[in-house]
Amino acid sequence: MSDINRIKIFDTTLRDGEQSPGASMNIEEKLRIAYQLEKLNVDVIEAGFPVASIGDFEAVKKIAQCIKGPQIAGLCRANDMDIDRAWEALKYAGDRGRIHTFIATSDIHMKFKLKMTEDQVVEAAVKAVSRAAGYTPNVEFSAEDAVRTRLPFLARVVEAVIDAGATTVNIPDTVGYTIPSEYFNIIRFLKENVPNIEKAVISVHCHNDLGLAVANSLAAVQAGAGQVECTVNGIGERAGNCSLEEVVMALRTRCDVMPFETGIVTEHIAAASRLLSTVTGIMVQPNKAIVGANAFAHEAGIHQHGVLQEKSTYEIMTPESIGLLTNKLVLGKHSGRHAFKQRIEELGYDLSKEDLEKAFCRFKDLADQKKEIFDEDLDAIIADEIIRVPEQFKLLQMNVSSGSFAAPTATVQMEVNGEVKKAALMGDGPVDAAFKVIKKLTGSQAHLLTFTVGAITGGTDAQGECTVRLSQDGKEFLGQGAHPDIIVASAKAYINALNKAASFEARESVEL
Ligand code: KIV
Ligand code: ZN
């Protein structure tokens, strides 16, 4: 494959993706995702917006220090302070560090948001790129709201920033407004009208407000774009960003009509999707392309029959190609460490010896309560025991009495900032009672938005899985918990969300 046919995948799950309501992640969580992105072999990981908060800065720095394969990008506005701060975090990646600076170029943004003229915007863009280029030759410039920018002006900005040292120029559809034919024409226009365009890679960055982010990205690739910006599970603000797994699998599956390839090791896609859902609490809809629970499920008899005879009758790609396990191995209380470890590895988890032992003990506890342990149970164990490690607040014990006669009462013992506390309260129902006690013990002011309950697998002995959505100071936090007792699962989910809110608060934040 020549350079022209090799499409770079720029993953922005940790930056644009994190802007989804409730998706905020702490440093350890971001690093965990970054390791998975490294396994996927993405070309660039956009690790955050270093000037936005101490937490963002530290996360970018840590990822720049730890991740070895992909380039590491940090976003910054077109000003000296942002660019200097970004490089302070990115310099640890050495020549793999990428400064990504942006300014809006559409009339509507220049007039109402920036209050700047065209000349002023070009000047700011050139100044920013030149400053960034003083730190590294790896500079990306984004013309925010490029799709609603007048084309001659867009071409002028792009030419100027390439002259100033930008090696990647990104043409974002910031508000998810374009359609494939229009986006194709924009990229073609730039290729044909910007004299120095061959000195830079054209990047595309699509939002999904009209459900067209993947289609638009593919159209742009066909018009000559060399980099696609996307997120795992398509998470992102509003309707989200272009989904990594969809764009990558579309390119792989239809290489007959789109002769391009990415460097993605697609067999790690399913694990990346699951890990992100676990970390953020944002579940994938069952009918989501590629990674939804039903994406490879054939319900209709005629389809099942066809697939059994010859897979390609109804299957355009194999579940194995995205790393889905088709051998449904069920573990039980007689399964030993070896079988447990093997299954955990097959599911795509890379655990330290210590974490594996913790997870194994939890598995044994669960196997005493539940006859069959499915992959979904193992996911829940890893999530609960390894990924959602309690920070400030930890559930120690709880007991609830409820029914149709006595008032529901919950007694909860918790560790709050290292101190053991206990209280009991009544509520309208057992969950209400439990949440009231937890609120009292933690002193939280967060407001409960939604609470949902589900079962991880079938059967009455299935683990309950709860999701809690809270709001605190205008920001949303999602928490999850799993346990064979649904009330304990609810309490865990509530505490998980409170921990996320507390850790976000601790990461000093500045207004952008
Ligand atoms: O959507 C957008 O325009 C962005 C830029 C900052 C790249 O996220
Ligand atoms: Zn964006």
Side-chain angles (χ1 to χ4, degrees), residues 29-84:
E29 291 167 336
K30 284 190 175 181
L31 189 61
R32 209 176 269 281
I33 302 283
Y35 277 123
Q36 186 65 32
L37 295 172
E38 187 180 38
K39 279 195 194 167
L40 272 175
N41 198 33
V42 302
D43 296 281
V44 186
I45 295 175
E46 186 162 53
F49 197 164
V51 83
S53 69
I54 304 272
D56 247 41
F57 177 86
E58 292 299 337
V60 176
K61 179 173 159 186
K62 188 88 188 160
I63 290 169
Q65 286 169 329
C66 298
I67 298 294
K68 295 293 170 241
Q71 295 179 24
I72 310 299
L75 187 68
C76 41
R77 290 165 300 187
N79 67 51
D80 292 357
M81 179 181 78
D82 282 32
I83 292 165
D84 296 349

Side-chain angles (χ1 to χ4, degrees), residues 10 12 15-16 19 46 49 75-76 100-103 109 140-146 170-176 205-207 229 237-238 241:
F10 175 112
T12 182
R15 198 278 298 170
D16 227 359
Q19 284 171 229
E46 186 162 53
F49 197 164
L75 187 68
C76 41
H100 177 191
T101 183
F102 75 98
I103 192 165
H109 275 237
E140 172 165 337
F141 171 79
S142 282
E144 193 189 9
D145 204 18
N170 186 29
I171 311 299
D173 180 14
T174 305
V175 290
H205 175 115
C206 296
H207 282 265
E229 305 199 355
E237 239 177 317
R238 310 185 307 276
N241 287 52

